[in-house]
């Protein structure tokens, strides 16, 4: 199987003119070997976010040209597996995170991973559920740093981008230019302290080019739901966009008039927070597959 490593190339931006470091065919399964989000700069609990060279933070392995993908297509990335390193970390610093104004000083906590559990303390051991924090493609026009989430994907920090699930991204540029990184061994909705368990690892994913799907923003598919993801400068704006997209999807996919889909969403589709800590915020409307089995074709 093809392996694409951060040693081959890391991008810190999603721009319209990315230069690919590799190519993949539609249907191919590829491994992306990724550094942790801080580029290996945090090695002990003495290393804190305020000391980092920010130019080496939140790199994404890639970009990879997906052969045959054109603007207006969609690429589906099926996450087959995510293997993580033997330890990860969380870091907090004042001014960042939902309670950034309550943080007294920068702190880092190293978290060992043992037998599939994150060892937070002697008493608190949590099963890991690794996911991809940053995954995106070349956007239509302006360049975004990898700190931003947007219509092109990017720093989505959505915990369901995990093994067994798929991400759908709209293609804006020839070859899509897919890159990913910022693996978390575990994270909850919101990512309130500004870090999940940041960790190095390897993502195995199948990439497919899909035609005939109308999509403006990222979508996540789980075994039982479709999640319309939207990112915006505020959580309110992100929530509105995610709801707009999710209701439109439900109307088309369940063959309902818009006003019926809007009412149905209000009783059957949870509006949730992916993350409330990045430069733009990300919300998701969760549409159960019981209401809509397939994605509607345009
Ligand atoms: Ca992130
Ligand atoms: Ca992260």
């Amino acid at each position: 199987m093809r392996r694409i490593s951060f040693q081959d190339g890391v991008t810190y931006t999603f721009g319209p003119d990315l230069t690919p470091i590799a190519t993949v065919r539609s249907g191919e399964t590829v491994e992306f070997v990724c550094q942790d989000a801080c580029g290996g700069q945090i090695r002990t609990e003495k290393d804190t976010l305020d000391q980092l060279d920010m130019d080496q933070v939140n790199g994404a392995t890639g970009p990879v040209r997906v052969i045959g993908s054109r603007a207006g297509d969609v690429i589906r990335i099926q996450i087959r597996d995510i293997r993580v390193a033997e330890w990860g970390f969380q870091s907090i610093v004042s001014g960042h995170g939902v309670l950034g104004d309550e943080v007294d000083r920068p702190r880092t906590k190293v978290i060992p991973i043992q037998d599939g559990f994150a060892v937070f303390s002697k008493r608190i051991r949590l099963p890991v559920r690794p996911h991809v924090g940053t995954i995106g493609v070349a956007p239509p026009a302006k360049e975004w740093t990898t700190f931003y989430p947007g219509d092109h994907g990017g720093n989505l920090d959505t915990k369901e981008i995990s093994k067994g699930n798929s991400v759908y991204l709209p293609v804006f540029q020839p070859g899509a230019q897919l890159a990913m990184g910022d693996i978390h061994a575990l994270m909850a909705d919101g990512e309130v302290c500004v870090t999940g368990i940041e960790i190095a690892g390897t993502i195995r994913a199948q990439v497919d080019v899909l035609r005939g799907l109308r999509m403006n923003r990222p979508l996540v598919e789980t075994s039982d739901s479709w999640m319309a993801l939207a990112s915006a400068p505020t959580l309110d704006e992100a929530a509105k966009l995610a709801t707009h997209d999710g209701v439109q999807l439900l109307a088309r996919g369940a063959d309902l008039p818009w006003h019926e889909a809007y009412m149905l969403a209000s009783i059957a589709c949870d509006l949730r927070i992916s993350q409330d800590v990045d430069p733009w915020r990300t919300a998701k409307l969760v549409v159960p597959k019981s209401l809509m089995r397939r994605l509607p074709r345009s």
Side-chain angles (χ1 to χ4, degrees):
M1 187 186 318
R2 189 99 71 82
R3 275 165 80 86
I4 297 156
S5 169
F6 65 90
Q7 289 163 326
D8 305 320
V10 173
T11 187
Y12 296 92
T13 59
F14 287 103
D17 300 313
L18 294 173
T19 305
I21 60 164
T23 58
V24 300
R25 285 174 284 105
S26 179
E28 194 173 349
T29 299
V30 189
E31 286 195 332
F32 289 81
V33 183
C34 302
Q35 292 174 294
D36 69 68
C38 294
Q41 295 183 83
I42 292 187
R43 295 189 182 86
T44 73
E45 296 191 342
K46 291 201 179 76
D47 302 323
T48 49
L49 290 179
D50 56 311
Q51 305 164 355
L52 302 185
D53 173 0
M54 293 309 283
D55 290 342
Q56 293 179 49
V57 174
N58 224 47
T61 298
V64 171
R65 182 166 73 90
V66 184
I67 296 169
S69 59
R70 306 173 302 211
D73 292 341
V74 167
I75 55 168
R76 177 179 60 197
I77 303 103
Q78 300 183 65
I79 310 291
R80 300 296 194 199
D81 195 22
I82 304 174
R83 300 192 304 278
V84 295
E86 290 172 347
W87 64 277
F89 61 90
Q90 288 191 269
S91 285
I92 56 175
V93 65
S94 78
H96 293 273
V98 176
L99 304 182
D101 55 346
E102 297 181 34
V103 175
D104 57 351
R105 63 177 174 85
R107 291 169 199 268
T108 290
K109 181 179 176 69
V110 167
I111 301 179
I113 309 296
Q114 290 172 0
D115 305 322
F117 285 81
V119 183
F120 189 84
S121 69
K122 254 188 195 151
R123 191 173 59 81
I124 302 171
R125 293 163 57 95
L126 304 168
V128 297
R129 177 74 170 136
H131 78 101
V132 185
T134 298
I135 182 166
V137 294
K142 88 174 241 219
E143 181 174 275
W144 301 77
T145 74
T146 50
F147 290 109
Y148 278 82
D151 296 353
H152 63 286
N155 198 5
L156 294 167
D157 288 321
T158 296
K159 67 180 186 182
E160 292 83 4
I161 303 178
S162 59
K163 180 179 175 176
N165 296 341
S166 299
V167 195
Y168 296 69
L169 296 173
V171 175
F172 300 106
Q173 301 293 345
Q177 314 299 351
L178 172 68
M180 63 184 84
D182 181 26
I183 296 171
H184 301 144
L186 191 61
M187 193 196 86
D189 274 347
E191 199 185 15
V192 294
C193 94
V194 85
T195 46
I197 300 178
E198 308 294 329
I199 198 161
T202 299
I203 303 152
R204 183 153 50 87
Q206 180 180 330
V207 183
D208 297 288
V209 179
L210 307 177
R211 301 226 153 91
L213 292 174
R214 211 182 330 148
M215 207 175 284
N216 300 317
R217 275 179 279 276
L219 194 71
V220 170
E221 178 183 8
T222 71
S223 60
D224 59 7
S225 64
W226 302 99
M227 298 183 177
L229 264 53
S231 304
T234 68
L235 198 51
D236 279 350
E237 293 165 274
K240 183 171 179 173
L241 277 177
T243 304
H244 170 86
D245 288 358
V247 167
Q248 197 175 53
L249 192 71
L250 180 59
R252 288 168 53 217
D255 200 20
L256 293 170
W258 181 87
H259 64 273
E260 290 268 315
Y262 186 35
M263 286 190 262
L264 182 57
S266 195
I267 59 175
C269 303
D270 286 329
L271 175 60
R272 288 168 40 201
I273 298 168
S274 283
Q275 57 79 18
D276 189 23
V277 295
D278 292 332
W280 278 23
R281 309 299 158 84
T282 306
K284 51 197 168 192
L285 192 80
V286 183
V287 179
K289 281 187 174 169
S290 57
L291 302 176
M292 193 186 95
R293 296 310 310 175
R294 282 171 214 291
L295 279 182
R297 295 268 156 180
S298 52

